[in-house]
Amino acid sequence: MEHRLAVHVLASGSRGNATVVEDVATGAGVLVDCGICKRDFFARCEEAGFDPANLAAVLVTHEHTDHTKGLGVVLRGLAKAGVRPPVYAERAVRAASREVAALEGSCDVRAFSAGEALSLAGMQVGAFRTSHDAAASCGFRFEAAGGDAAGLMTDTGAVTGEAHEALLGVRLLAIEANHDPRMLAEGPYPYPVKRRVASDAGHLSNGQAAEELARLLHAGLEQVVAMHISQNNNTYRLPVEALAAALSREGHPAAVRAAYQDMLVSVR
C-alpha cells in the first residue's frame, strides 16, 4: 500500500484557519487548528472527500482566535457523531486560550512541546517552533509510512532554524505568504499594527516566503500552497507570482496555489 499525503486547506486567513492532513491510503487525518464554523468545517471536508469520522487528532498551532474559535462547536458536532479526537496544544497555549481551556472536561486535551514527535493517524508528526507574538507557536511536519512528507508553517515573522530543518525534503509545502510590504506600508492599519505584522514576531511577507522556498527546493517537491494571505495587505495573485518566480529561477516544476479564506484548496 502506497501511503501518500493530501493537504486540505479548509480556510486560511485572518478570519479563520483550518487544515486537514490526510493519509490518502487509509483515509485517516489530523486537523490543524479550527477557527471556522461547524457548517464550513463539515461542508469543506465533504468537498475535499475527507470523512471527519476518520479524524484521529486535532493540533493547535497557537492561541490566537482565528485558529481556535471554532474548536468547541466543531468538536461538539463531531462528538454527536461519535467522533472524539484528542486535542493537542502546548501548555502555554492551553493556559492562554479560553477556547482550549473550555474543552477541558469534555475533550481529551493533551500537551505537547515543540521538538516533540507524535504518532497520529499513522503519520509521524514533528512540531517545530515558529516566531510569532503568541504564548507559544509552532508548525508541523507530517511523514507517512514510506516517507511521503508534508510541511505546514504559518504565523511566523521569521523562519527559525528548526523550522527550516523540519521542512526540508517535503513533497507538499504549505508556507505563509501573508503580505506585500508596499501594500502593508500604504494600507489602512495603524502604525503599531504594521510594525507588528512586519516584525520577526509577525507574519512572513511574499518575498520572505519566496526566499525560504528557494532554500527548500529539491527534486521531490511537487506542490506549494501560499497560506494566511492577508485580505487587506496582499492579493491572491502576488504571493503565487513571488513563489512561482522562485521556482522559475531554478527551473523547478513544482506547482503553486493560493489558499483562500472562504474556499477549499486541496493538494495531494
Side-chain angles (χ1 to χ4, degrees):
M1 180 186 296
E2 183 182 15
H3 291 266
R4 300 238 327 160
L5 298 180
V7 175
H8 308 298
V9 185
L10 309 184
S12 184
S14 59
R15 290 191 286 109
N17 297 272
T19 299
V20 173
V21 180
E22 177 190 8
D23 182 333
V24 178
T26 65
V30 174
L31 173 64
V32 180
D33 292 333
C34 192
I36 61 175
C37 68
K38 181 174 69 172
R39 178 196 63 210
D40 287 346
F41 171 79
F42 282 100
R44 290 178 195 161
C45 282
E46 182 177 9
E47 185 181 353
F50 174 73
D51 185 351
N54 293 330
L55 200 62
V58 179
L59 297 170
V60 180
T61 59
H62 65 293
E63 77 273 12
H64 291 167
T65 56
D66 56 319
H67 296 258
T68 61
K69 63 187 176 184
L71 282 169
V73 66
V74 167
L75 287 167
R76 286 192 294 273
L78 288 168
K80 287 181 180 178
V83 183
R84 294 177 173 82
V87 178
Y88 290 81
E90 293 199 68
R91 287 183 174 84
V93 171
R94 293 170 70 176
S97 172
R98 287 183 298 178
E99 289 79 14
V100 175
L103 302 176
E104 304 279 358
S106 61
C107 296
D108 180 6
V109 182
R110 305 178 184 180
F112 74 90
S113 300
E116 183 176 349
L118 304 169
S119 182
L120 305 171
M123 297 177 277
Q124 294 302 305
V125 183
F128 56 84
R129 180 67 59 222
T130 56
S131 176
H132 198 50
D133 56 353
S137 64
C138 63
F140 300 101
R141 176 192 177 97
F142 297 82
E143 194 159 325
D148 193 28
L152 176 62
M153 179 177 66
T154 69
D155 295 80
T156 191
V159 181
T160 65
E162 63 182 289
H164 174 73
E165 290 296 320
L167 296 175
L168 287 170
V170 299
R171 183 177 63 85
L172 308 176
L173 175 65
I175 184 171
E176 176 170 71
N178 174 259
H179 62 277
D180 172 75
R182 174 180 285 185
M183 289 182 67
L184 177 64
E186 297 176 354
Y189 285 5
Y191 176 71
V193 178
K194 293 180 181 181
R195 184 172 59 185
R196 171 208 168 246
V197 171
S199 75
D200 283 353
H203 296 275
L204 291 183
S205 69
N206 299 335
Q208 288 173 304
E211 288 174 7
E212 176 59 13
L213 174 59
R215 297 174 63 215
L216 292 170
L217 290 182
H218 68 102
L221 179 66
E222 293 182 5
Q223 300 279 352
V224 181
V225 183
M227 300 284 285
H228 215 293
I229 297 170
S230 171
Q231 293 182 296
N232 293 309
N233 304 305
N234 214 348
T235 69
Y236 286 116
R237 174 179 58 84
L238 288 173
V240 171
E241 288 181 347
L243 294 169
L247 294 168
S248 179
R249 282 191 290 270
E250 300 299 326
H252 198 287
V256 181
R257 300 185 65 180
Y260 291 89
Q261 183 66 85
D262 297 311
M263 186 173 73
L264 169 74
V265 169
S266 290
V267 294
R268 61 181 67 212

